[in-house]
Amino acid sequence: MDRWAVTEVSNQSTGYCPDVTSWAAVARGLDNVGLGRPAGFTHEVVFRPRPDCQEHNIVREDDFVCVFCGSDLPQTWNVDPTA
């Protein structure tokens, strides 16, 4: 029987910047509506804002350096400081 399925999923967003650990919530949502899905994000994006210059960065190739000010970026997700 044919059914709808999701074949590509990314955590890339504008504004929210979800951590790669958010996959469990995405998977749960897709499962709840009965959609087939991949085993994880097919494209993971690592976001880190720089606290001093307050710019949001996409970390590429594990290079945790702010492209705006050149300072080191936090190793852990810090988009929502209250989380």
Side-chain angles (χ1 to χ4, degrees):
M1 180 165 105
D2 291 333
R3 67 179 201 159
W4 287 93
V6 174
T7 58
E8 300 281 329
V9 182
S10 175
N11 65 317
Q12 187 168 2
S13 73
T14 54
Y16 177 61
C17 305
D19 191 29
V20 295
T21 60
S22 65
W23 171 252
V26 174
R28 192 169 41 256
L30 294 172
D31 291 346
N32 286 344
V33 295
L35 291 174
R37 60 171 175 80
F41 287 124
T42 52
H43 179 72
E44 290 184 342
V45 178
V46 175
F47 296 98
R48 295 292 186 275
R50 176 70 190 140
D52 294 341
C53 73
Q54 299 181 359
E55 294 290 345
H56 284 75
N57 291 261
I58 292 177
V59 176
R60 291 177 173 82
E61 299 177 5
D62 290 326
D63 186 19
F64 284 80
V65 175
C66 180
V67 298
F68 300 98
C69 71
S71 298
D72 290 339
L73 294 170
Q75 292 289 315
T76 57
W77 186 75
N78 65 331
V79 176
D80 181 1
T82 63

